[in-house]
Amino acid sequence: MARIFLALTPDKGLNDQIIELKKDLKNSVLSDADITWQRNNDHHITVNFVGSMEPEQIEEMYTGLSTVSFMSNLDISISSVAFFPNEDSQSLVALIKSTNQLQKNFERVDEVVTRIGFGSSLKKYRPHMTLGRFKVKKRPAYSFEEFDEINLSSKIKCLDVYESEFDGTKTNYSLLKTFEF
């Protein structure tokens, strides 16, 4: 069985800006933080973490996704840096401005996933991109005021299907399939 998730992957231009954002964080407010940073080529906005799937279920999902009418050139915009899902969390994220486009695409994907028995447990879609995770639960308080009005944006042109594997020390992502908008 494979652990599957569906995501929006930033293009090279936006990914480069995200890398610079992480460098700015490392060189300022988080210079003394003990963080495992997301690898630079693994940035993504999760649309749906499906979980463990059999190969037949993955194929059924592909068939369903191939019939979805996605909005072309989906606009995404990074608005700020925060902890996710709340202030006590270990995950450091770039928050993505929620739009009707993003919500509709989430709903369309969730419909396909639900149809094959993997309904979303999300009550509300909160788009974000993981930048890093604090290594210890008890971390100092940090303020990201200087990162409250970030204006990084791009157009996303596809939905990607990834397999996630944990090798004992880190999580590795493998791109399985891309659905162009």
Side-chain angles (χ1 to χ4, degrees):
M1 292 192 34
R3 290 174 41 93
I4 303 297
F5 69 93
L6 301 128
L8 304 170
T9 307
D11 63 15
K12 182 180 176 349
L14 181 57
N15 196 58
D16 289 346
Q17 292 177 66
I18 294 162
I19 292 167
E20 287 304 312
L21 173 61
K22 289 187 337 190
K23 284 181 189 172
D24 290 346
L25 286 161
K26 290 176 193 178
N27 292 327
S28 62
V29 69
L30 297 174
S31 62
D32 65 342
D34 195 10
I35 296 177
T36 300
W37 293 96
Q38 185 81 350
R39 285 186 293 246
N40 290 340
N41 292 326
D42 285 346
H43 298 129
H44 62 272
I45 303 164
T46 301
V47 175
N48 194 306
F49 183 84
V50 183
S52 297
M53 298 180 83
E54 297 289 346
E56 313 78 53
Q57 293 168 317
I58 295 170
E59 287 303 320
E60 187 177 351
M61 182 181 65
Y62 289 167
T63 300
L65 289 172
S66 68
T67 66
V68 172
S69 174
F70 292 105
M71 296 173 191
S72 61
N73 295 320
L74 182 62
D75 292 311
I76 62 147
S77 183
I78 296 174
S79 59
S80 61
V81 173
F83 296 106
F84 190 86
N86 57 50
E87 286 300 313
D88 296 325
S89 299
Q90 288 178 262
S91 292
L92 176 69
V93 301
L95 295 175
I96 308 299
K97 183 179 177 189
S98 188
T99 63
N100 285 338
Q101 272 189 315
L102 271 172
Q103 184 63 36
K104 286 206 182 303
N105 278 301
F106 162 74
E107 289 167 2
R108 290 172 181 165
V109 167
D110 196 53
E111 229 174 80
V112 170
V113 172
T114 299
R115 210 175 311 135
I116 59 173
F118 291 89
S120 173
S121 62
L122 293 176
K123 291 179 178 44
K124 181 180 177 196
Y125 181 53
R126 295 175 50 200
H128 64 279
M129 184 179 300
T130 301
L131 302 175
R133 286 183 176 75
F134 286 83
K135 293 180 183 178
V136 293
K137 271 198 185 285
K138 195 102 166 132
R139 60 166 171 74
Y142 292 99
S143 172
F144 301 110
E145 288 175 10
E146 65 189 277
F147 297 95
D148 273 351
E149 293 187 28
I150 299 171
N151 190 19
L152 303 180
S153 60
S154 184
K155 295 195 180 292
I156 302 287
K157 300 175 183 172
C158 57
L159 176 74
D160 294 322
V161 179
Y162 287 95
E163 180 177 3
S164 172
E165 294 179 281
F166 186 69
D167 70 7
T169 59
K170 61 185 176 219
T171 303
N172 298 302
Y173 305 129
S174 302
L175 178 63
L176 300 179
K177 191 166 181 84
T178 295
F179 292 87
E180 299 285 330
F181 293 167

